[in-house]
Amino acid sequence: DAGITQSPRHKVTETGTPVTLRCHQTENHRYMYWYRQDPGHGLRLIHYSYGVKDTDKGEVSDGYSVSRSKTEDFLLTLESATSSQTSVYFCAISGRAGGLETQYFGPGTRLLVL
Amino acid sequence: QQQVKQSPQSLIVQKGGISIINCAYENTAFDYFPWYQQFPGKGPALLIAIRPDVSEKKEGRFTISFNKSAKQFSLHIMDSQPGDSATYFCAAGSGAGSYQLTFGKGTKLSVIP
Protein backbone atom coordinates (compact mmCIF):
# COMPACT_ATOMS: atom_id res chain seq x y z
CA ASP A 1 0.00 0.00 0.00
CA ALA A 2 1.14 3.51 -0.80
CA GLY A 3 0.20 4.88 2.61
CA ILE A 4 -2.93 6.73 1.53
CA THR A 5 -6.12 6.84 3.55
CA GLN A 6 -9.39 8.53 2.71
CA SER A 7 -12.18 9.53 5.04
CA PRO A 8 -15.01 9.02 5.18
CA ARG A 9 -15.21 5.87 3.06
CA HIS A 10 -18.95 6.28 2.54
CA LYS A 11 -21.21 9.29 2.89
CA VAL A 12 -24.83 10.07 2.17
CA THR A 13 -25.81 13.72 2.16
CA GLU A 14 -28.56 15.98 0.93
CA THR A 15 -28.51 18.45 -1.92
CA GLY A 16 -27.24 21.85 -0.85
CA THR A 17 -25.20 20.70 2.11
CA PRO A 18 -21.42 21.18 2.31
CA VAL A 19 -19.23 18.09 2.23
CA THR A 20 -15.52 17.71 2.92
CA LEU A 21 -13.52 14.64 1.98
CA ARG A 22 -10.08 14.06 3.45
CA CYS A 23 -7.01 12.42 1.97
CA HIS A 24 -4.08 11.61 4.22
CA GLN A 25 -0.68 10.31 3.11
CA THR A 26 2.24 9.02 5.11
CA GLU A 27 4.73 9.11 2.20
CA ASN A 28 5.65 12.82 2.31
CA HIS A 29 5.00 13.16 -1.43
CA ARG A 30 4.76 16.60 -2.95
CA TYR A 31 1.98 15.93 -5.46
CA MET A 32 -1.55 14.93 -4.50
CA TYR A 33 -4.64 14.59 -6.69
CA TRP A 34 -8.41 14.26 -6.43
CA TYR A 35 -10.31 12.29 -9.08
CA ARG A 36 -13.90 11.30 -9.50
CA GLN A 37 -14.92 8.01 -11.11
CA ASP A 38 -18.23 7.58 -12.87
CA PRO A 39 -19.50 4.76 -15.09
CA GLY A 40 -18.65 5.45 -18.71
CA HIS A 41 -16.28 8.29 -17.84
CA GLY A 42 -13.30 6.58 -16.27
CA LEU A 43 -11.27 8.73 -13.90
CA ARG A 44 -11.39 12.49 -14.23
CA LEU A 45 -9.08 14.91 -12.46
CA ILE A 46 -10.81 17.45 -10.22
CA HIS A 47 -7.92 19.31 -8.59
CA TYR A 48 -4.32 18.63 -7.77
CA SER A 49 -1.70 20.04 -5.45
CA TYR A 50 2.03 20.47 -5.96
CA GLY A 51 2.83 21.58 -2.44
CA VAL A 52 1.46 23.13 0.71
CA LYS A 53 -0.99 25.87 -0.29
CA ASP A 54 -0.23 25.22 -3.98
CA THR A 55 -3.18 23.85 -5.91
CA ASP A 56 -4.53 23.91 -9.44
CA LYS A 57 -7.67 22.94 -11.31
CA GLY A 58 -8.21 19.79 -13.26
CA GLU A 59 -10.66 18.77 -15.94
CA VAL A 60 -13.85 18.85 -13.81
CA SER A 61 -13.22 21.43 -11.08
CA ASP A 62 -16.53 23.32 -11.15
CA GLY A 63 -18.36 22.99 -7.83
CA TYR A 64 -15.27 21.78 -5.98
CA SER A 65 -12.58 23.47 -3.93
CA VAL A 66 -9.47 22.08 -2.29
CA SER A 67 -7.04 22.98 0.44
CA ARG A 68 -3.66 21.74 1.51
CA SER A 69 -2.34 23.22 4.76
CA LYS A 70 0.00 20.31 5.52
CA THR A 71 2.02 18.05 3.24
CA GLU A 72 0.15 14.98 4.43
CA ASP A 73 -3.43 16.21 4.05
CA PHE A 74 -5.41 17.23 0.97
CA LEU A 75 -9.05 18.19 1.46
CA LEU A 76 -11.77 18.25 -1.18
CA THR A 77 -14.84 20.37 -0.44
CA LEU A 78 -18.19 20.42 -2.16
CA GLU A 79 -19.53 23.79 -1.04
CA SER A 80 -23.13 22.93 -1.90
CA ALA A 81 -23.52 19.33 -2.97
CA THR A 82 -25.63 18.49 -6.02
CA SER A 83 -26.93 15.15 -7.24
CA SER A 84 -24.50 15.31 -10.18
CA GLN A 85 -21.68 15.05 -7.65
CA THR A 86 -22.77 11.58 -6.62
CA SER A 87 -19.67 9.60 -7.46
CA VAL A 88 -16.71 7.66 -6.14
CA TYR A 89 -13.85 9.98 -5.24
CA PHE A 90 -10.24 8.86 -5.30
CA CYS A 91 -7.21 10.56 -3.92
CA ALA A 92 -3.81 9.84 -5.43
CA ILE A 93 -0.20 10.72 -4.72
CA SER A 94 2.80 10.73 -7.00
CA GLY A 95 5.59 8.29 -6.38
CA ARG A 96 8.27 6.37 -8.23
CA ALA A 97 7.94 2.79 -9.44
CA GLY A 98 10.63 1.09 -11.50
CA GLY A 99 12.31 4.42 -12.11
CA LEU A 100 9.13 6.00 -13.43
CA GLU A 101 7.02 8.61 -11.70
CA THR A 102 3.47 7.43 -11.34
CA GLN A 103 0.37 7.84 -9.23
CA TYR A 104 -0.84 5.67 -6.38
CA PHE A 105 -4.49 5.69 -5.44
CA GLY A 106 -6.32 5.57 -2.16
CA PRO A 107 -9.27 3.25 -1.44
CA GLY A 108 -11.92 5.78 -2.48
CA THR A 109 -14.93 7.52 -0.94
CA ARG A 110 -18.44 6.70 -2.14
CA LEU A 111 -20.59 9.81 -2.00
CA LEU A 112 -24.34 9.79 -2.54
CA VAL A 113 -26.11 13.13 -2.81
CA LEU A 114 -29.89 12.82 -2.40
CA GLN B 1 -12.60 16.29 -25.56
CA GLN B 2 -11.40 12.78 -24.90
CA GLN B 3 -7.67 12.61 -25.31
CA VAL B 4 -7.28 8.90 -24.64
CA LYS B 5 -9.64 6.48 -26.35
CA GLN B 6 -9.82 2.95 -24.97
CA SER B 7 -11.41 -0.12 -26.49
CA PRO B 8 -13.20 -2.40 -26.05
CA GLN B 9 -15.51 -1.34 -23.20
CA SER B 10 -15.86 -4.94 -22.13
CA LEU B 11 -14.06 -8.15 -22.95
CA ILE B 12 -14.75 -11.80 -22.21
CA VAL B 13 -11.85 -14.23 -22.55
CA GLN B 14 -11.51 -17.91 -21.87
CA LYS B 15 -9.05 -18.99 -19.20
CA GLY B 16 -5.64 -19.43 -20.80
CA GLY B 17 -6.43 -17.07 -23.66
CA ILE B 18 -4.90 -13.72 -24.55
CA SER B 19 -6.65 -10.51 -23.51
CA ILE B 20 -5.91 -7.45 -25.62
CA ILE B 21 -6.95 -3.90 -24.74
CA ASN B 22 -6.16 -0.98 -27.00
CA CYS B 23 -5.70 2.73 -26.43
CA ALA B 24 -5.12 5.66 -28.75
CA TYR B 25 -4.07 9.14 -27.84
CA GLU B 26 -4.04 12.49 -29.57
CA ASN B 27 -1.64 14.68 -27.64
CA THR B 28 1.91 14.18 -28.91
CA ALA B 29 3.24 15.76 -25.71
CA PHE B 30 2.32 12.62 -23.78
CA ASP B 31 5.47 10.80 -22.74
CA TYR B 32 4.32 8.34 -20.11
CA PHE B 33 1.78 5.55 -20.55
CA PRO B 34 0.70 3.52 -17.52
CA TRP B 35 -1.94 0.83 -17.20
CA TYR B 36 -4.01 0.47 -14.05
CA GLN B 37 -5.97 -2.50 -12.76
CA GLN B 38 -9.00 -1.99 -10.56
CA PHE B 39 -10.97 -4.59 -8.64
CA PRO B 40 -14.52 -3.83 -7.42
CA GLY B 41 -14.54 -1.61 -4.36
CA LYS B 42 -10.83 -0.84 -4.61
CA GLY B 43 -8.74 1.99 -5.96
CA PRO B 44 -6.85 1.60 -9.24
CA ALA B 45 -3.42 0.02 -8.87
CA LEU B 46 -0.49 0.51 -11.23
CA LEU B 47 0.03 -2.60 -13.33
CA ILE B 48 2.73 -1.68 -15.83
CA ALA B 49 3.99 1.47 -17.55
CA ILE B 50 6.07 2.47 -20.55
CA ARG B 51 7.91 5.45 -21.97
CA PRO B 52 7.95 6.21 -25.74
CA ASP B 53 11.62 5.33 -26.11
CA VAL B 54 10.78 1.61 -26.15
CA SER B 55 8.24 -0.27 -28.26
CA GLU B 56 7.48 -3.04 -25.80
CA LYS B 57 7.69 -3.78 -22.12
CA LYS B 58 6.95 -7.09 -20.49
CA GLU B 59 6.34 -7.91 -16.86
CA GLY B 60 5.32 -11.49 -16.25
CA ARG B 61 2.13 -12.20 -18.19
CA PHE B 62 1.53 -8.51 -18.92
CA THR B 63 2.99 -6.75 -21.96
CA ILE B 64 2.61 -3.19 -23.21
CA SER B 65 3.10 -2.66 -26.95
CA PHE B 66 3.68 0.92 -28.04
CA ASN B 67 3.42 2.40 -31.55
CA LYS B 68 4.56 6.00 -31.45
CA SER B 69 3.85 6.80 -35.10
CA ALA B 70 0.27 5.54 -34.81
CA LYS B 71 -0.16 7.07 -31.34
CA GLN B 72 -1.45 3.78 -30.02
CA PHE B 73 -0.55 1.45 -27.20
CA SER B 74 -2.02 -1.80 -26.02
CA LEU B 75 -2.03 -4.18 -23.07
CA HIS B 76 -1.69 -7.90 -23.67
CA ILE B 77 -2.45 -10.36 -20.90
CA MET B 78 -1.09 -13.78 -21.74
CA ASP B 79 -2.54 -16.96 -20.24
CA SER B 80 -5.45 -14.98 -18.80
CA GLN B 81 -6.72 -16.22 -15.45
CA PRO B 82 -10.04 -15.71 -13.62
CA GLY B 83 -8.11 -13.63 -11.07
CA ASP B 84 -7.33 -11.16 -13.85
CA SER B 85 -11.03 -10.27 -14.05
CA ALA B 86 -11.06 -6.55 -13.29
CA THR B 87 -11.42 -3.19 -14.95
CA TYR B 88 -8.33 -1.94 -16.76
CA PHE B 89 -7.55 1.69 -17.45
CA CYS B 90 -4.94 3.04 -19.79
CA ALA B 91 -3.61 6.51 -19.12
CA ALA B 92 -1.25 9.02 -20.63
CA GLY B 93 0.76 11.71 -18.96
CA SER B 94 3.24 14.46 -19.64
CA GLY B 95 5.35 16.93 -17.76
CA ALA B 96 8.08 16.19 -15.31
CA GLY B 97 7.11 15.90 -11.69
CA SER B 98 3.35 16.16 -11.59
CA TYR B 99 2.66 13.72 -14.38
CA GLN B 100 -0.95 14.67 -14.67
CA LEU B 101 -2.68 11.66 -16.13
CA THR B 102 -5.51 11.50 -18.64
CA PHE B 103 -7.37 8.21 -18.37
CA GLY B 104 -9.23 6.10 -20.87
CA LYS B 105 -12.78 5.12 -19.93
CA GLY B 106 -11.83 1.61 -18.90
CA THR B 107 -12.28 -1.99 -20.07
CA LYS B 108 -14.09 -4.52 -17.96
CA LEU B 109 -12.36 -7.87 -18.42
CA SER B 110 -14.04 -11.12 -17.49
CA VAL B 111 -11.99 -14.30 -17.71
CA ILE B 112 -14.23 -17.35 -17.69
CA PRO B 113 -13.08 -20.85 -16.71
Side-chain angles (χ1 to χ4, degrees):
Chain A
D1 289 344
I4 309 171
T5 57
Q6 292 184 233
S7 59
R9 294 294 313 280
H10 303 271
K11 186 168 182 69
V12 180
T13 191
E14 294 187 349
T15 297
T17 60
V19 177
T20 295
L21 308 182
R22 178 181 183 240
C23 177
H24 179 78
Q25 62 150 328
T26 58
E27 306 296 317
N28 200 35
H29 283 293
R30 179 182 175 191
Y31 289 92
M32 299 183 74
Y33 312 80
W34 276 108
Y35 291 88
R36 60 178 289 173
Q37 184 174 37
D38 305 288
H41 290 277
L43 291 145
R44 294 180 291 175
L45 182 65
I46 304 171
H47 282 278
Y48 69 100
S49 169
Y50 46 97
V52 173
K53 292 186 168 49
D54 292 322
T55 64
D56 206 348
K57 297 179 180 180
E59 177 188 356
V60 290
S61 59
D62 288 348
Y64 302 94
S65 63
V66 291
S67 65
R68 192 166 176 203
S69 58
K70 297 184 292 185
T71 298
E72 58 266 35
D73 290 325
F74 192 30
L75 304 181
L76 177 70
T77 297
L78 291 65
E79 301 290 349
S80 178
T82 67
S83 58
S84 65
Q85 293 176 312
T86 291
S87 186
V88 181
Y89 292 86
F90 287 99
C91 174
I93 62 174
S94 281
R96 295 192 73 84
L100 296 175
E101 189 89 12
T102 190
Q103 292 181 20
Y104 295 93
F105 287 80
T109 294
R110 288 188 174 275
L111 177 66
L112 174 61
V113 183
L114 300 175
Chain B
Q1 178 186 3
Q2 184 187 2
Q3 295 191 53
V4 178
K5 294 185 178 180
Q6 182 172 347
S7 63
Q9 277 188 302
S10 62
L11 182 61
I12 299 174
V13 174
Q14 292 271 0
K15 178 183 175 181
I18 302 173
S19 304
I20 301 174
I21 305 171
N22 300 300
C23 284
Y25 62 98
E26 300 165 4
N27 188 346
T28 55
F30 288 145
D31 61 359
Y32 175 67
F33 303 91
W35 284 89
Y36 284 82
Q37 179 188 56
Q38 184 179 30
F39 293 105
K42 303 292 186 181
L46 178 68
L47 186 62
I48 187 172
I50 198 169
R51 282 272 178 84
D53 51 347
V54 296
S55 60
E56 187 175 280
K57 183 175 182 178
K58 183 177 181 180
E59 290 185 0
R61 296 183 295 109
F62 301 91
T63 300
I64 298 179
S65 297
F66 184 79
N67 185 329
K68 187 174 182 178
S69 61
K71 293 187 287 185
Q72 295 176 345
F73 58 110
S74 60
L75 176 69
H76 296 235
I77 306 175
M78 312 300 288
D79 187 27
S80 299
Q81 299 296 313
D84 297 330
S85 297
T87 299
Y88 293 81
F89 293 94
C90 63
S94 62
S98 73
Y99 274 105
Q100 293 182 55
L101 296 176
T102 300
F103 284 84
K105 293 187 176 183
T107 297
K108 185 174 182 179
L109 172 65
S110 299
V111 181
I112 55 177

